[in-house]
Amino acid sequence: MLLSILAAAALHQALPDPAASFGALPLISGLQPSPSGETFVAKMWTGENAALGVFTLKNGFEYLQVIPESDDKQIDTFFWKRDDRLVFSASLPGNRFGTPTVETRLYSMNPLLKGKKAKFVELFGRVDGPGGYPIQIQDDIVSRLKNDPEHILVQYRSDGSSRGEGVYRVQVDHNRRHALIKSPRNNSLAWLADSEGRARAVYGLKNSNSAERTLQIVTPDDKYKDITHRIAAGTPSFSILGFPLDPAKAYVASDHETDTAALYVYDIPTDSFEEMLFSHPTSDIYDVEQDPKTGRAIGAVYGEDTVLVHWFEKSRAAKTVDAVKEAFGLEKLSFTRFNIGGSMAVLYSWEGNRPGNYMVFDYASGQAISMPAQYPDLANIELGKVIPTSYKARDGLEIPAFVTLPPGIDSLEAAKNLPVVLNPHGGPTARDFADFDYLTQFLAHKGYAVLQMNFRGSAGYGAAFENAGDREWGQAMQDDITDGAKWLVSKGIANPDRLAILGGSYGGYAALMGAAKTPDLYQCAVSINGVTDLPRLIRHANQYVGGRASTRYIGRLWKDRRMLAENSPVKRADDIQIPILLIHGEKDRRVRYAHTQVMDRALKRNNKDVTLVKLKDGSHFLDVNDNRITALREVDAFLGKCL
């Protein structure tokens, strides 16, 4: 009994610095054992910055290498090729021909040199063509070539021409000239390969300035078959998720027979659907799990309140998950990956709304090793309960949503007259789940209820739901958010005099549009790295290959100019009557810092209450140094005043 009482008391302990505890980057993420299973690599949080950490567990936790991120370089992709060869990439802000860009650089190293500083090998040459520019994106990896310990396949545009991206064989031990494996064709943008590294399909553009995509698939006789009609506007959805080793087959997701995208075996020579493997009534199939040796489909990935896998058979992965769940009495456990040698499986365990931790199952010993928690400060802290729900938009469309309540409140019925923060997600073709979210749990810890809604245009609920958001920025999509706020008030959950709206990226745009369109609904609004000017966003995207294709769902600069202006917060600064907090990373290349600069100026010209916070060296994702902690502190202080 005493232990139970002490445990309950611990859950209510106060955090000395909640922003630092919730805003720290995960202690460990992306865990991968080496081929032999003797060494591990993961993204680590040092307490000051993120780093790539290589470590062993032979004699307890022991670092072999720590590669810290810098202010302008963040580590992205990383994976093992051999025990003595680790490949990783870093992203950094750049500028080409006066246009801000995101750049990536690809490296390798021997991580086993304990006590010695690892020597990095740059896997790309220094220049691209006569202009002297390095290859911009160096980590668009087509295949890791599991059976080739010395090479990987990378796609890139080698000469800056409009021919498209080619596929190259890249040596991972030395900076050598890359061998061309697949020539660029038809403005190629994305190559897909099977588990053996054979290029099997390529997405492209009709021309370099086109908004129309193309799709070619490789036939069994190694010819390209044009199946662009499968992805044409107005047709059922069609996306390639993977390939078995059979050169005549592919695994695809399509909604030609169902309301959501189901998983099929697709026959390439006859351009036909051979067999439906799995469908879900309310979720698209996001991905296919394949046997690493045979390429056979063994599971389908879909979403409910969290991301789940439907296993078709008792594969090794499924059996491992079942055995470890039973042995440890775990509520939720997911399979992440095998190491190259197949001697270990990486699993991820979590419980309800709490942050989880990695586990490594060693097949030789039959033991499961539990890694440190991602957020150790939160281990004994009570978190807010996340309740899946839904509400009807004004036109009758059902909007899936999640309400996170302050700790101690366990149901919507018990939630009365609370201060509420609406938190629309970014994307907007993304979606929220009920899993641990550092921002919503921080707000709940501070006493706010949080509403996250998957408004129309969100991904994962079928093409009809997603397409309902086309050209609806600031319009029907915004109405869905407004209707969520009014629903909370009508239920007595929200205090109508203590409502705020906060979001990042598209969510930041929605926060500002909420302040402009419904100035009497909210007491204040927070935009983090938010879009403020739709024409500016489209012009920026159109500077890049494929930009017109990516922005056609927002609108066209000339044809939709009035609509775009009317739904740009920067053009509606005078309509805003509530305090505004603007937070933006100065080196954000997804939504440029200029969006927040012009919004700040427009609000000040109109004598509005605005606070601007510029995050030094900040990216779009609040993942540089302590940017996330800084943002939470600013949000906390701001909401404390207005709510």
Side-chain angles (χ1 to χ4, degrees):
M1 176 63 78
L2 179 60
L3 289 175
S4 299
I5 293 172
L6 289 175
L11 286 174
H12 291 85
Q13 289 177 357
L15 289 169
D17 187 351
S21 296
F22 285 94
L25 294 173
L27 184 64
I28 181 171
S29 58
L31 178 69
Q32 299 178 43
S34 65
S36 68
E38 295 184 359
T39 315
F40 299 84
V41 64
K43 194 84 170 281
M44 315 291 288
W45 173 247
T46 68
E48 297 180 356
N49 56 19
L52 192 64
V54 180
F55 58 94
T56 178
L57 300 176
K58 287 181 180 179
N59 300 308
F61 193 96
E62 182 181 14
Y63 275 117
L64 300 180
Q65 296 288 337
V66 177
I67 306 161
E69 293 185 340
S70 60
D71 290 344
D72 62 351
K73 257 185 193 177
Q74 280 74 57
I75 293 168
D76 296 325
T77 303
F78 52 92
F79 58 92
W80 297 94
K81 279 299 289 178
R82 307 185 304 270
D83 278 355
D84 66 346
R85 188 55 47 179
L86 186 68
V87 178
F88 69 98
S89 69
S91 61
L92 62 153
N95 195 293
R96 292 175 183 249
F97 310 107
T99 300
T101 60
V102 172
E103 308 271 328
T104 65
R105 301 292 180 260
L106 193 64
Y107 306 93
S108 77
M109 68 171 183
N110 181 348
L112 303 181
L113 303 176
K114 181 183 174 183
K116 297 181 180 179
K117 187 175 181 180
K119 181 181 179 182
F120 301 157
V121 177
E122 295 188 27
L123 300 185
F124 277 67
R126 298 304 301 161
V127 296
D128 171 29
Y133 280 89
I135 296 293
Q136 181 186 347
I137 303 299
Q138 300 180 4
D139 61 348
D140 204 343
I141 295 167
V142 177
S143 175
R144 297 180 183 179
L145 295 178
K146 63 178 183 178
N147 296 322
D148 181 344
E150 297 182 352
H151 299 91
I152 58 176
L153 297 184
V154 181
Q155 69 170 49
Y156 59 87
R157 190 180 302 267
S158 66
D159 56 5
S161 73
S162 60
R163 292 185 302 140
E165 310 232 346
V167 180
Y168 297 82
R169 182 184 289 116
V170 176
Q171 229 280 358
V172 298
D173 291 274
H174 308 284
N175 184 338
R176 299 272 172 81
R177 185 186 179 103
H178 305 159
L180 178 64
I181 302 303
K182 290 290 182 181
S183 297
R185 55 183 299 113
N186 301 328
N187 302 288
S188 43
L189 286 178
W191 291 84
L192 307 179
D194 62 21
S195 61
E196 298 293 324
R198 295 174 298 188
R200 299 279 299 273
V202 57
Y203 285 91
L205 294 173
K206 189 173 182 180
N207 60 63
S208 59
N209 294 315
S210 175
E212 297 181 49
R213 295 185 303 151
T214 62
L215 175 58
Q216 294 182 60
I217 197 163
V218 179
T219 61
D221 56 357
D222 206 31
K223 295 181 180 178
Y224 290 94
K225 182 186 183 84
D226 192 310
I227 55 170
T228 299
H229 62 279
R230 288 290 183 187
I231 60 170
T235 62
S237 65
F238 182 93
S239 58
I240 299 174
L241 301 182
F243 299 94
L245 296 185
D246 185 344
K249 311 297 180 186
Y251 296 124
V252 304
S254 174
D255 64 357
H256 69 284
E257 295 180 312
T258 51
D259 292 334
T260 54
L263 178 64
Y264 291 86
V265 176
Y266 169 78
D267 186 73
I268 296 170
T270 61
D271 183 24
S272 62
F273 298 93
E274 185 173 276
E275 177 188 3
M276 180 194 287
L277 297 178
F278 182 72
S279 68
H280 190 275
T282 61
S283 174
D284 291 331
I285 302 306
Y286 303 151
D287 204 353
V288 58
E289 292 283 357
Q290 296 179 248
D291 185 284
K293 293 183 179 179
T294 66
R296 187 180 72 257
I298 57 175
V301 182
Y302 65 100
E304 289 182 347
D305 297 337
T306 189
V307 177
L308 300 168
V309 178
H310 171 80
W311 297 103
F312 302 142
E313 56 187 75
K314 285 297 182 181
S315 64
R316 192 183 190 209
K319 290 177 181 176
T320 303
V321 169
D322 289 345
V324 175
K325 279 182 73 173
E326 183 178 355
F328 286 86
L330 299 173
E331 178 184 345
K332 295 180 180 178
L333 185 71
S334 63
F335 170 79
T336 301
R337 60 169 56 88
F338 291 113
N339 65 333
I340 294 174
S343 61
M344 287 188 169
V346 180
L347 311 170
Y348 189 78
S349 169
W350 77 104
E351 181 181 350
N353 59 344
R354 304 199 68 81
N357 64 283
Y358 288 100
M359 301 180 75
V360 176
F361 184 76
D362 185 336
Y363 287 99
S365 66
Q367 292 184 332
I369 307 165
S370 187
M371 295 291 173
Q374 289 187 305
Y375 291 84
D377 286 359
L378 306 182
N380 295 318
I381 299 299
E382 183 179 11
L383 299 179
K385 186 170 184 178
V386 183
I387 300 176
T389 186
S390 67
Y391 60 88
K392 286 191 182 296
R394 62 194 64 184
D395 62 358
L397 184 65
E398 196 76 15
I399 305 299
F402 301 99
V403 177
T404 302
L405 298 172
I409 304 176
D410 292 329
S411 68
L412 294 182
E413 291 72 25
K416 298 296 180 185
N417 205 37
L418 297 174
V420 173
V421 178
L422 273 75
N423 180 217
H425 63 70
T429 50
R431 62 159 293 183
D432 279 321
F433 292 97
D435 301 326
F436 173 80
D437 179 271
Y438 79 91
L439 175 58
T440 57
Q441 287 295 342
F442 171 75
L443 293 171
H445 183 80
K446 301 299 292 187
Y448 306 103
V450 183
L451 175 66
Q452 297 170 286
M453 71 297 294
N454 288 321
F455 44 79
R456 73 190 69 201
S458 299
Y461 295 98
F465 191 89
E466 184 173 329
N467 294 341
D470 289 359
R471 302 189 181 214
E472 292 292 347
W473 284 49
Q475 300 171 91
M477 294 164 76
Q478 191 69 39
D479 292 342
D480 291 346
I481 298 168
T482 301
D483 293 343
K486 293 180 177 179
W487 170 74
L488 283 176
V489 172
S490 71
K491 291 291 184 181
I493 298 170
N495 181 334
D497 297 322
R498 301 180 73 190
L499 273 175
I501 182 168
L502 174 157
S505 194
Y506 175 85
Y509 163 84
L512 293 172
M513 281 303 295
K517 290 190 71 174
T518 52
D520 297 328
L521 184 60
Y522 305 108
Q523 276 64 61
C524 54
V526 181
S527 171
I528 302 173
N529 295 337
V531 174
T532 68
D533 186 337
L534 296 186
R536 180 187 293 268
L537 180 72
I538 294 170
R539 285 195 299 271
H540 172 217
N542 288 352
Q543 293 176 304
Y544 304 93
V545 175
R548 286 177 57 83
S550 68
T551 60
R552 68 187 186 276
Y553 303 111
I554 303 174
R556 291 287 175 241
L557 280 173
W558 179 251
K559 180 181 176 182
D560 300 316
R561 60 192 181 281
R562 290 186 179 86
M563 179 271 285
L564 294 173
E566 183 180 346
N567 292 291
S568 291
V570 73
K571 303 295 185 184
R572 303 192 57 167
D574 194 43
D575 295 329
I576 294 175
Q577 307 299 326
I578 59 176
I580 300 294
L581 172 62
L582 302 172
I583 301 175
H584 213 120
E586 66 173 342
K587 293 183 179 177
D588 186 348
R589 293 299 191 254
R590 184 71 61 91
V591 177
R592 296 181 187 175
Y593 178 63
H595 277 268
T596 286
Q597 282 183 305
V598 296
M599 190 73 211
D600 179 57
R601 292 169 190 159
L603 288 168
K604 286 175 177 173
R605 277 198 306 271
N606 287 276
N607 298 313
K608 305 299 180 180
D609 184 348
V610 58
T611 302
L612 171 63
V613 176
K614 180 169 72 170
L615 299 175
K616 184 178 184 299
D617 297 313
S619 74
H620 188 64
F621 304 102
L622 297 182
D623 58 357
V624 176
N625 298 334
D626 60 355
N627 278 184
R628 188 173 291 180
I629 297 171
T630 299
L632 290 187
R633 286 176 177 154
E634 295 289 346
V635 166
D636 184 27
F638 180 75
L639 294 180
K641 291 178 181 178
C642 72
L643 295 186

